Amino acid sequence: MATSPLSVEVHNPYGRFRVISTKPMPGSRWINILVDAGCRVEVCTEKKTILSVADIKELIGSKCDGVIGQLTEDWGDELFAALKAAGGHAFSNMAVGYNNVNVEAATRNGVAVGNTPGVLTETTAELAAALTLAAARRVVEADSFMRAGKYDGWLPTLFIGNLLKGQTVGIIGAGRIGSAYARMMVEGFKMNVVYYDLYQATRLEKFVTAYGKFLESQGESPVTWKRVSTVEDVLRLADVVSLHPVLDKTTYHLINKDRLALMKKTAIIVNASRGPIIDEVALVQHLQANPEFRAALDVFEDEPYMKPGLSDLPNAVVVPHIASASKWTREGMATLAAANVAGKLKGCPVWHDANNVMPFLDESSKPPAASPSIVNAKNLGLKILTAAKL
Ligand SMILES: NC(=O)C1=CN([C@@H]2O[C@H](COP(=O)(O)OP(=O)(O)OC[C@H]3O[C@@H](n4cnc5c(N)ncnc54)[C@H](O)[C@@H]3O)[C@@H](O)[C@H]2O)C=CC1
Ligand SMILES: O=C(O)C(=O)CO
């Protein structure tokens, strides 16, 4: 039986490059960037939230130059081969994380893979901070209690939670987002930091040292930082542990039953990174056995599903992968994804510093003639725009 084609909205129908966006994205700047680059832009408007590989192959069709895809999609050999066969060589995830993309398969098929670093850093860190507070002060439980009409007066014992000031926040993965979150918890709540990362977070260390000195100059207790050499050390020492590494083979189920058992009984674990970093079945069991332990989760192992039992637990706060959901960030992600694809199609070089993509986000000027972040640029032998040529 023939299936009806997926619905699309077309911009600039006579553009010379055909670019697909598998989802509508916020703002209009991203469309303008592609149209200015001579693209016909087809935005899939199908109601279905997660498109299958077959759906995306249908969208790619027999002629497609570039695609902007989403983190919910499985970008492996099949899709990159289909894109190559359709004459395409540019892809961008609308996300900084690209664990849904087989970069090796993309490279083999000659397709550049873009991502959207930097523009999500503060927004994601702020949601991790919000989750931390919600868990520490039992905000969601208390809100449900009020709405259920159960509040019948102030009590000395009602919804007692954890004070953050002076406690230790543990960061696993102190990259852009992990470091931004750590700074918020240090500056906002005077927490001490313990972190584990493969690399030294020099800027974070300098910030905490300087802020500690400032606090001392005001007659307050200083804040401190400590870099430890194992995940276990973070788990033993911290009152709050927030996870911010990339998801790869080294971080899959990084938090498991044995490691949860090392944490303080009243600790909080926050995950605004990727679901599979936590063994969610083990977490459910740990939360059931330790009612004073709390978890605050933006991401889930089998997204969009939760493991059985999680949604029944009052000591878990759960939100639907919204950490990057501020207007500025989502429009910025769309802009960077479009600039990645447009830059590649126009034959521009790759931007030199994925940690500083702000020139692409300045609405008052034209974006630089470059792709902001192509993760397989070196393997594809793409030219990098050096700072000297700016
Ligand atoms: N929930 C959400 O909506 C969002 C989730 N994310 C996730 O957050 C991740 C991090 O993003 P950024 O901070 O921008 O990336 P980043 O690359 O700046 O930071 C990742 C850090 O993880 C560290 N790392 C890698 N392997 C590790 C290991 N085995 N153990 C400990 N640390 C390890 C890296 O050295 C790096 O410092 C993304 O890859 C994405 O999966 C990002 C944005 C929004
Ligand atoms: O950018 C990412 O990796 C996300 O998870 C978007 O929210």
Side-chain angles (χ1 to χ4, degrees), residues 86-243:
H89 56 99
F91 167 82
S92 183
N93 231 22
M94 185 216 177
V96 62
Y98 52 89
N99 52 286
N100 62 310
V101 180
N102 181 340
V103 179
E104 199 260 316
T107 307
R108 208 178 327 113
N109 285 288
V111 179
V113 173
N115 73 337
T116 65
V119 69
L120 317 93
T121 301
E122 301 296 324
T123 296
T124 304
E126 283 180 12
L127 194 275
L131 286 174
T132 307
L133 290 192
R137 300 303 302 276
R138 305 174 63 186
V139 174
V140 177
E141 277 180 86
D143 179 276
S144 305
F145 178 86
M146 285 298 286
R147 290 171 198 272
K150 291 182 182 166
Y151 183 49
D152 56 7
W154 188 91
L155 279 175
T157 51
L158 193 61
F159 287 113
I160 289 178
N162 302 1
L163 174 70
L164 297 177
K165 187 175 181 199
Q167 296 212 323
T168 298
V169 62
I171 312 294
I172 298 177
R176 286 177 291 254
I177 299 169
S179 290
Y181 166 83
R183 285 175 59 148
M184 287 175 195
M185 303 318 285
V186 167
E187 207 174 351
F189 304 101
K190 316 285 182 290
M191 296 186 84
N192 299 307
V193 176
V194 57
Y195 80 91
Y196 171 75
D197 196 296
L198 311 180
Y199 302 97
Q200 188 176 5
T202 316
R203 289 181 66 189
L204 173 63
E205 292 176 2
K206 281 189 182 153
F207 173 83
V208 181
T209 302
Y211 191 56
K213 284 190 183 141
F214 168 74
L215 288 176
E216 263 183 322
S217 76
Q218 303 300 303
E220 293 187 45
S221 307
V223 285
T224 60
W225 61 266
K226 184 174 182 174
R227 181 183 179 198
V228 292
S229 53
T230 65
V231 170
E232 283 77 5
D233 287 338
V234 174
L235 299 177
R236 278 191 208 99
L237 292 169
D239 301 288
V240 173
V241 172
S242 198
L243 306 172

Side-chain angles (χ1 to χ4, degrees), residues 96-97 99 120-121 124 172-178 196-199 244-248 250-251 272-274 298-299 321-324:
V96 62
N99 52 286
L120 317 93
T121 301
T124 304
I172 298 177
R176 286 177 291 254
I177 299 169
Y196 171 75
D197 196 296
L198 311 180
Y199 302 97
H244 298 284
V246 297
L247 170 62
D248 63 13
T250 69
T251 58
S273 179
R274 284 291 182 267
D298 179 52
V299 286
H321 202 149
I322 54 166
S324 67

Side-chain angles (χ1 to χ4, degrees), residues 274-341:
R274 284 291 182 267
I277 290 171
I278 300 183
D279 174 347
E280 205 171 295
V281 168
L283 178 65
V284 170
Q285 285 164 0
H286 193 77
L287 287 163
Q288 284 165 341
N290 297 278
E292 288 187 58
F293 184 93
R294 299 200 187 94
L297 309 173
D298 179 52
V299 286
F300 304 88
E301 189 166 351
D302 304 321
E303 230 163 280
Y305 308 106
M306 287 185 276
K307 292 290 188 195
L310 184 59
S311 64
D312 301 328
L313 288 164
N315 47 346
V317 176
V318 288
V319 296
H321 202 149
I322 54 166
S324 67
S326 73
K327 183 173 183 287
W328 183 80
T329 288
R330 287 285 167 87
E331 290 185 2
M333 290 162 74
T335 297
L336 293 180
N340 279 329
V341 169

